[in-house]
Amino acid sequence: MANNKNNSNNKKVIVDLLERPLIDLNPPIPALPKFPDKTKINIRYMLISPYVSVHIFWNQAINELMYEIEEPLLTKEEKEQLIRLEEGMRELVNVNMLIEKNQDAILDYIDKTAKLLLAELGIKLSKESYSRIFYYLYRDFIGLDEVEPLFRDYFIEDIECNGLNTPIYIIHRIYRNMRSNIVYKEIDNLAGFVEKLAQRCGRYISYASPLLDGSLPDGSRVQATYTTEITSRGPTFTIRKFTKVPWTPTQLIMFNTLSPEMLAYFWILLQYKCNILITGGTASGKTTLLNAIAFFIPPEARVVSIEDTRE
């Protein structure tokens, strides 16, 4: 009885001493400078504070602009403990329920579940170790695995993975196309991530139905393939992110995307109920333009949206 009591006390001490780590999923958006010469780019900014930052720099070895994610490094012991916690959490965490909750509720649930498992497994962790492990628990269970930092970057428009053993490329609002340091090397991990994307989109992907076209809860557009019969390098995916607040006509003028005369012409077309066809290639700004000229639709008008995949 005494031993059992001591074990219970030890577990309680383990749980009580570890406070929930602070994690900011939406740190302040930095003002990034523009560089006429991209070989001079060398900047860092935070993506998930205080754990993850990105280093953008010109890599002379490959003669490309690099987008390098910097995540916490785990010791061998911490990696083993993380694996044990993840195995236990797979049986306890209802991810579909969590993604609908607010940020604090999600983090509290992960923290509570992790501490319960720590007590049951008798694992003792320092505050620093628990903080690092807590980030990976969030990333892999609630976030989008290795892609989560990319998804949290306000400046990223597109995330593109062309299969196994190829680096993920991103399209940055300021520095455009860049190669990242994220590479899927195991087909099971890549296929599992594509399945996760499908679940988040409320869709299903399998060998029988190997194509995915859907939208994430935040409105980001997802397209993916699942088998080597479709794409020779294995599963692939692209994620197209959209701004949470559509750009206004005034902003498009400020960005020199459209002239005042062009917008005035669109306004007249809408006022006189003319048909407008907006076409263009991927990431050419079709949705951005449509959202902007939609400001000219009279408030009393009835708007009907028919979409194959909701944007």
Side-chain angles (χ1 to χ4, degrees):
M1 290 294 292
N3 289 336
N4 290 337
K5 185 175 181 180
N6 288 335
N7 289 337
S8 298
N9 289 336
N10 287 338
K11 291 178 181 180
K12 188 175 187 301
V13 169
I14 293 171
V15 173
D16 288 347
L17 288 180
L18 297 176
E19 298 179 356
R20 196 197 88 182
L22 297 177
I23 180 170
D24 185 358
L25 302 177
N26 298 292
I29 300 171
L32 299 182
K34 294 184 178 180
F35 293 83
D37 182 1
K38 61 183 179 181
T39 64
K40 304 298 182 183
I41 297 175
N42 186 13
I43 61 171
R44 279 186 172 88
Y45 58 91
M46 194 63 65
L47 300 178
I48 302 176
S49 180
Y51 300 99
V52 187
S53 61
V54 59
H55 183 200
I56 300 176
F57 64 98
W58 181 260
N59 189 326
Q60 293 183 352
I62 60 175
N63 208 33
E64 278 190 70
L65 200 57
M66 280 293 299
Y67 183 96
E68 190 171 272
I69 295 295
E70 299 174 331
E71 293 184 299
L73 297 177
L74 298 180
T75 65
K76 181 180 179 181
E77 184 180 1
E78 288 171 345
K79 290 178 181 178
E80 294 173 352
Q81 292 163 344
L82 175 61
I83 291 173
R84 294 179 67 187
L85 284 174
E86 287 182 337
E87 289 174 349
M89 291 188 72
R90 287 191 184 96
E91 300 179 4
L92 298 176
V93 175
N94 185 342
V95 175
N96 292 328
M97 177 190 72
L98 278 180
I99 59 177
E100 298 178 359
K101 294 182 177 291
N102 62 49
Q103 176 178 314
D104 284 335
I106 290 173
L107 297 177
D108 284 341
Y109 185 83
I110 291 293
D111 181 54
K112 181 179 178 180
T113 306
K115 288 175 179 176
L116 175 64
L117 288 169
L118 287 174
E120 291 298 324
L121 296 172
I123 298 176
K124 296 182 179 181
L125 294 174
S126 67
K127 182 178 179 180
E128 292 75 18
S129 291
Y130 180 63
S131 294
R132 289 190 290 269
I133 289 175
F134 180 80
Y135 160 71
Y136 284 102
L137 291 175
Y138 164 79
R139 189 198 75 172
D140 295 342
F141 279 92
I142 309 304
L144 292 174
D145 302 346
E146 292 90 339
V147 176
E148 178 68 8
L150 304 180
F151 196 72
R152 289 289 169 183
D153 190 340
Y154 167 82
F155 295 100
I156 286 184
E157 295 179 340
D158 277 40
I159 303 169
E160 305 169 358
C161 174
N162 294 317
L164 283 175
N165 298 313
T166 59
I168 289 178
Y169 276 80
I170 61 100
I171 297 179
H172 196 275
R173 295 181 192 275
I174 307 298
Y175 306 123
R176 306 314 297 166
N177 286 48
M178 285 187 283
R179 173 178 178 169
S180 79
N181 61 330
I182 301 175
V183 180
Y184 281 95
K185 297 181 179 180
E186 297 181 8
I187 193 166
D188 289 342
N189 289 344
L190 182 52
F193 178 69
V194 169
E195 291 171 3
K196 188 173 190 176
L197 283 177
Q199 292 171 356
R200 296 290 174 89
C201 293
R203 301 292 181 91
Y204 180 73
I205 193 168
S206 66
Y207 284 97
S209 180
L211 300 177
L212 171 66
D213 190 355
S215 296
L216 294 172
D218 74 332
S220 297
R221 182 79 175 267
V222 175
Q223 292 178 314
T225 64
Y226 192 65
T227 67
T228 53
E229 284 75 19
I230 303 297
T231 45
S232 59
R233 292 181 178 175
T236 66
F237 64 85
T238 62
I239 302 174
R240 291 198 59 210
K241 295 173 58 184
F242 295 100
T243 56
K244 295 181 179 179
V245 179
W247 284 349
T248 65
T250 305
Q251 287 176 306
L252 294 185
I253 293 174
M254 292 174 59
F255 297 149
N256 293 320
T257 303
L258 295 174
S259 67
E261 292 79 10
M262 293 172 69
L263 282 170
Y265 180 65
F266 280 122
W267 194 346
I268 293 172
L269 293 178
L270 286 170
Q271 185 175 352
Y272 286 92
K273 301 179 181 179
C274 296
N275 294 325
I276 301 175
L277 177 64
I278 300 175
T279 65
T282 302
S284 60
K286 300 184 296 296
T287 303
T288 299
L289 176 59
L290 179 60
N291 286 335
I293 65 176
F295 280 90
F296 300 138
I297 298 175
E300 68 275 8
R302 181 186 180 195
V303 178
V304 178
S305 175
I306 302 174
E307 304 175 79
D308 180 45
T309 300
R310 179 181 62 84
E311 290 189 12

